[in-house]
Amino acid sequence: MIKYVSAGDSHGEMLVGILEGLPSGMQIDEDRINFYLSLRQKGYGRGRRMEIENDRVKIVSGLFDGKTTGAPLGIIIENRDFKLNKTRREFTVPRPGHSDYGGTVKYEFSNAAIPSERTSARSTAVDVAAGSLLLDYLKIFGVKIFFFVKSIGEVSKDINTIDEETFEKVISNDLFSLPEMYEDFKSAVDRAIEKRDTVGGEGVVVVKNVPPGIGGYGNFSDKLDGIIAQFVMSVPSVKYVEIGNFKPGVYGTEFHDEIFSNGKRIFRKTNSAGGIEGGVSNGEEIVVKFGFKPIPTVLKGINSVDLTDLSNKKSVYVRSDTCVVPAGTLVSAMRISIALSTVFSSQFGGDTVSDVSKNFDFWLSRRKKFWQR
Amino acid sequence: MIKYVSAGDSHGEMLVGILEGLPSGMQIDEDRINFYLSLRQKGYGRGRRMEIENDRVKIVSGLFDGKTTGAPLGIIIENRDFKLNKTRREFTVPRPGHSDYGGTVKYEFSNAAIPSERTSARSTAVDVAAGSLLLDYLKIFGVKIFFFVKSIGEVSKDINTIDEETFEKVISNDLFSLPEMYEDFKSAVDRAIEKRDTVGGEGVVVVKNVPPGIGGYGNFSDKLDGIIAQFVMSVPSVKYVEIGNFKPGVYGTEFHDEIFSNGKRIFRKTNSAGGIEGGVSNGEEIVVKFGFKPIPTVLKGINSVDLTDLSNKKSVYVRSDTCVVPAGTLVSAMRISIALSTVFSSQFGGDTVSDVSKNFDFWLSRRKKFWQR
Amino acid sequence: MIKYVSAGDSHGEMLVGILEGLPSGMQIDEDRINFYLSLRQKGYGRGRRMEIENDRVKIVSGLFDGKTTGAPLGIIIENRDFKLNKTRREFTVPRPGHSDYGGTVKYEFSNAAIPSERTSARSTAVDVAAGSLLLDYLKIFGVKIFFFVKSIGEVSKDINTIDEETFEKVISNDLFSLPEMYEDFKSAVDRAIEKRDTVGGEGVVVVKNVPPGIGGYGNFSDKLDGIIAQFVMSVPSVKYVEIGNFKPGVYGTEFHDEIFSNGKRIFRKTNSAGGIEGGVSNGEEIVVKFGFKPIPTVLKGINSVDLTDLSNKKSVYVRSDTCVVPAGTLVSAMRISIALSTVFSSQFGGDTVSDVSKNFDFWLSRRKKFWQR
Amino acid sequence: MIKYVSAGDSHGEMLVGILEGLPSGMQIDEDRINFYLSLRQKGYGRGRRMEIENDRVKIVSGLFDGKTTGAPLGIIIENRDFKLNKTRREFTVPRPGHSDYGGTVKYEFSNAAIPSERTSARSTAVDVAAGSLLLDYLKIFGVKIFFFVKSIGEVSKDINTIDEETFEKVISNDLFSLPEMYEDFKSAVDRAIEKRDTVGGEGVVVVKNVPPGIGGYGNFSDKLDGIIAQFVMSVPSVKYVEIGNFKPGVYGTEFHDEIFSNGKRIFRKTNSAGGIEGGVSNGEEIVVKFGFKPIPTVLKGINSVDLTDLSNKKSVYVRSDTCVVPAGTLVSAMRISIALSTVFSSQFGGDTVSDVSKNFDFWLSRRKKFWQR
């Protein structure tokens, strides 16, 4: 089964990920991984650190001639500013909204800068490497993952899906925005920059081509929606996760997606369920929405206390970004890539890419009455 | 470490739960468990099954003289209608919104009634037993869990916390409603009954007295918000989970909860974060919100297809409820009880209640500068 | 993935097991399970409790028309003497060799009888139910599990494999003995009975028809030998686990099993490795050996101390057996059935029996150059 | 809870380990880790690779000022010969006894050299780093781990414990031998070298100062002996694991360790149980024995087949060792260090070293009637 774990501090020498359980024979596309790493780094409203770094993945094990061997992949991303920036951060006034306070209490630090070494967004770079690497695993099943920013600050556009062509446009702008929203989103970020403040927003991930019957309901931990919720809610700054379109005022007959058949597959004309019913996919697009709070490091500071003497102080400013919604949306998509990969690998098994592919094809062929590509 | 797993079908002989890792010496309060089981069963808008059943917990192992021994607890809840209702359900037209379709495709059933044997709300009874049993474990840490229904249908009241006194009122009405909302909620259910339809809504869980520093951020799976999200999103009908108060339009300086100290503890005057920052508790109330879709079994049916020949049919009606928001809110609270128990047990260890209690007291005493009861 | 966990006390009302992750469509053979439960209960040298009980499995969930549905199986075995024997055991002098002392210290009991409520051999009945149920899962892969007692006391016969016909003879005698050893084994037990003492011995499990390439070596927890070792070493009374034939004095060229091909499959003429090389099966029989210490409850008592005042006392006698080697050998075989089922399910995935079967057949067909049935 | 996972190929750029769940504030002793790494590399009878490499640990995350922060440790060991030896190994004749055959079948390689990239002893270097780092964690509990080689080839000395002074002598010779055995062991290795063959042997690990009550018996996976068995059986070349002194011919009254009290602690005069009864420690030394098969790479080759055409061939010789018993014994001891650390961390919890230490001291003080240091 595919499993993933990571280590790495924001200002350490490198980030490290271990990705276990891939089948053998899978070609690794380092260029694509590096492309996704570069996507994470760009983003209108991100701070200067992004200019310094230029993340490159290095896979130190589990490959032979560029293909997986079934052995665990060691994934390394060096922190390029490690050599540039040797000044150690130290402060004792926690930033409201960050892990500074809770982490310092938990671990009894005298330096409130330590928790964010692990919790800052920097650690998500290796998640992006793992998640984008796994896009090739998901490709065995025909699955594709698209994403876009749905709102920044008060500016929002309520759409629930995009097509591949639009997705290409989304990832070619630095706000991962639908083209028509770009200027409005940019202005929303600019207003926050002007105020020396930060701004949040919302993202959407759309997973295409997941057949019905993926996930499970044996126990709560098998449910696809619950698994996705954990992977996304634990992305830095995420405060809510939604599957589909929750609307409190609608009745059952309005909410639920009527079932039709077109001879080729069973389908819906609506997607309130967001592709998951009862913990299991239903053959429609899986639509995951999530909201990011504004990041806690604000130029003008927020009222806080000095943990050494409990006196009132403004929180410190640490080199940071104004808006992480685009990068955070990408990270959430890559977390969903990891989540889905664990679920698919558990459901279809397989030692080699050929095994996995054949297991899936056979599975699908037995269910072709209900769903075909 | 505390772990929980369950088995049991909706129309089987009994539900079974196994709860591992409790310390020894904990008094089990079966009356309280049965009280929570009865809370789950009542609920304005629930169907007739509730009248038939009268759930009682039976703990078949892991106790000696009514106290835990450290061995796993076997938790049994008999399905009282098992003997009454021997008629097997069978249908081939899946209910949109239910697991009928995805489950049938996954497991290749010829009977679309089988998936809901496991996914129907019935299975949550044993979760309620486990979660309410664990309230006594959480009491070692002073932690209390309150909950209430925040909206039914279009009727909503946006509050984020309640006190103990109000909670007593909440659980003494059959909608788990704040007293001032009861009539409006009741009317919302009545409107759905009248329409032969179903209606969803939202619930809130408030966890009191969690000190700062609970949870973790080592890896994504350690984060308290992510753990809670999985436990709640996997409750039947839940479509979103939120921690605190996400509001897309606010700036960082507005959103984040300023930090103050009053000599006795560090505190906030606001709680946008919902008690969790960076995956770790911050000493404020943990506030979890979640939304339930209307349940899929509607009296008048929804357009669907017959899986045997793919012809258009209305979905079947299966004895069911109009509104599960109250019961679902309770279930979510009990899932959070389980989630927190796993986190506390991993953080504080302990073989006996005395060990656990002492470990926690010592932990707290070293951090008393920041947080005291 | 197949997972198993249990609860249940020796003198409680019932034992409970939960078996998750089985594919749907698997016919459950309750008669075979009950047959294995009866095998566990017989055994020359077992005490009177065996006469009282007559274990019958009850599967309370996860079945429809006798076939698995993919939902977790709740497995119940009632303790029939629960009603007969209401006298609570209580003592304060721990039996050397039992969990009485360590358990009492860990959990701070005032009654040293409590730990063995969970650690006594009684709890293994539900393991036998789960393991024998899973024999049908392993049958999908053609895998069969045989076992026999290799030694009792000083009487031993050093053989490493048996065929199906002999296995039938083994399980039709009450010492699970090769026919030629029965009288000698019986005398060994009789000598212990006469001495009012207990006696240990050794068992062997032979797993037939496992193709090469089962297991893994990604991390230590993937290795088939390590997984088997954990499942067997944790059987009550087991003190060693061996895979194949360790002999310290032999050289590499003597120990290692030369590789041959006969056109149909690659094979060995020897089996020092016991079917596992580098954590992965090699296509030969998997041979697991293990040794049981004599059980700790001896009629004449052993020097011990009273935990209340630390005075010297003889350990108490609790109704017990003279020799558990036959039952323990069966239990070890059933534990190996569970262990292998988890490994196969993780490697081959599959939602239905047809999926699993097809996945395996395809896997095998791609490797038929090396191994055919 | 402490968790450990690794990645890394024998001829890759580096080995990577991730060690999660350590408390904060633990001083890391890199010198000691490097000393243990050097112990692993020496060993009379090891091949030339050992001369090339000189392993040094690099911890890239989870530290601040040399102390743990509670964040995961990224552990790196560079393969120094990575730059020297760019010649890729390729062969198609599997070595009997190695993972070459099973791994090649499982993963459908055309090159039988790939499996041993992961399964060769090289990967254990990072286990040694993690395990020796954790010796400082175990020191919080007063626990010490000693080890020695008990036999090489036919030369054996049957002792079951050593003291600290002797252990110092053991690790200062290159066979981890008791001084009186050194010459005999050396001759045994020399005889194998002369024969161009390889030789196995046995090792013993003695864990001192574990109080009674460590481990558990809730389910099979909680049992201390089972956990240790998995960690040791999965060490390359290990074929058996034993706890204590199994002797088939002895009676219960002879085998079991009588219990005594000396006012300060309950103790035994014998240690047949090897310190574990019923899955839980009993306060005596934990004694783990294990046997290594001779390594499979022999200079003169063993009969095998070419996997491309199934013709008979001699297995290839790959630069290797004659005897890995000393290094393997060290590796097993370090695996036991990891195993025990996971168990202690789960039992005692704690966010900081002070928490852990206080939790343990309190635990012990409540049990001081039975066991004191």
Side-chain angles (χ1 to χ4, degrees), chain B residues 9 24 62 65 88 106 351, chain C residues 9 62 65 88 106-107 351:
Chain B
D9 297 332
S24 68
D65 283 348
R88 261 174 30 156
K106 179 181 177 73
D351 288 320
Chain C
D9 297 330
D65 283 348
R88 263 175 30 157
K106 179 180 176 74
Y107 289 121
D351 288 322

Side-chain angles (χ1 to χ4, degrees), chain B residues 47-60:
Chain B
R48 274 164 308 160
R49 182 169 186 176
M50 296 304 103
E51 296 159 27
I52 303 167
E53 302 216 334
N54 183 11
D55 286 337
R56 309 286 302 171
V57 73
K58 186 154 78 173
I59 300 173
V60 298

Side-chain angles (χ1 to χ4, degrees), chain C residues 41 84 129 208 217 223 261 334:
Chain C
Q41 291 193 280
L84 304 177
K208 304 252 180 184
Y217 49 66
K223 297 208 172 180
S261 169
M334 295 303 99

Side-chain angles (χ1 to χ4, degrees), chain A residues 36-272:
Chain A
Y36 272 80
L37 288 175
S38 74
L39 285 184
R40 196 194 73 90
Q41 291 193 278
K42 78 184 186 182
Y44 189 75
R46 299 215 64 186
R48 273 164 309 159
R49 183 167 185 177
M50 297 303 104
E51 296 161 28
I52 302 167
E53 301 215 336
N54 184 10
D55 286 337
R56 311 284 303 169
V57 73
K58 186 155 76 175
I59 299 172
V60 297
S61 64
L63 300 184
F64 197 90
D65 282 347
K67 288 187 176 165
T68 53
T69 64
L73 302 187
I75 303 174
I76 301 285
I77 298 175
E78 287 176 21
N79 287 336
R80 299 216 171 179
D81 68 350
F82 179 63
K83 287 123 203 167
L84 305 177
N85 177 11
K86 279 293 194 193
T87 1
R88 263 174 28 157
R89 294 188 313 158
E90 248 169 287
F91 56 80
T92 55
V93 181
R95 291 162 293 174
H98 220 306
S99 59
D100 300 353
Y101 173 61
T104 295
V105 172
K106 180 181 175 73
Y107 289 121
E108 295 193 84
F109 296 132
S110 55
N111 175 3
I114 297 177
S116 58
E117 280 299 311
R118 182 65 186 148
T119 61
S120 87
R122 177 66 199 149
S123 70
T124 61
V126 67
D127 298 354
V128 170
S132 60
L133 187 156
L134 289 169
L135 292 174
D136 276 322
Y137 175 74
L138 292 174
K139 203 180 279 175
I140 302 174
F141 310 97
V143 169
K144 290 182 178 181
I145 297 182
F146 298 163
F147 54 88
F148 59 95
V149 169
K150 188 186 130 192
S151 78
I152 290 182
E154 70 280 28
V155 183
S156 174
K157 175 151 192 182
D158 196 18
I159 60 162
N160 291 306
T161 183
I162 56 172
D163 58 22
E164 182 145 16
E165 199 185 347
T166 312
F167 178 60
E168 293 304 326
K169 288 178 189 151
V170 161
I171 58 175
S172 53
N173 74 66
D174 57 6
L175 285 165
F176 302 155
S177 158
L178 298 172
E180 65 269 31
M181 296 304 292
Y182 185 81
E183 288 307 321
D184 289 351
F185 282 174
K186 189 162 173 297
S187 305
V189 176
D190 286 340
R191 279 193 294 279
I193 292 174
E194 226 167 86
K195 286 173 184 281
R196 302 166 61 81
D197 214 323
T198 59
V199 70
E202 290 162 296
V204 180
V205 170
V206 179
V207 188
K208 305 251 181 187
N209 244 341
V210 176
I214 304 301
Y217 49 66
N219 263 285
F220 81 93
S221 54
D222 299 311
K223 297 207 171 180
L224 187 55
D225 39 8
I227 293 168
I228 289 173
Q230 178 174 33
F231 273 85
V232 176
M233 185 68 98
S234 55
V235 170
S237 291
V238 168
K239 295 304 284 181
Y240 85 81
V241 183
E242 180 179 347
I243 309 285
N245 274 315
F246 176 76
K247 284 195 203 87
V250 300
Y251 290 103
T253 50
E254 298 162 336
F255 180 85
H256 292 295
D257 308 304
E258 297 177 316
I259 302 180
F260 300 95
S261 169
N262 64 7
K264 195 168 172 215
R265 71 161 90 165
I266 281 182
F267 70 99
R268 319 290 173 102
K269 294 175 179 168
T270 54
N271 193 11
S272 296

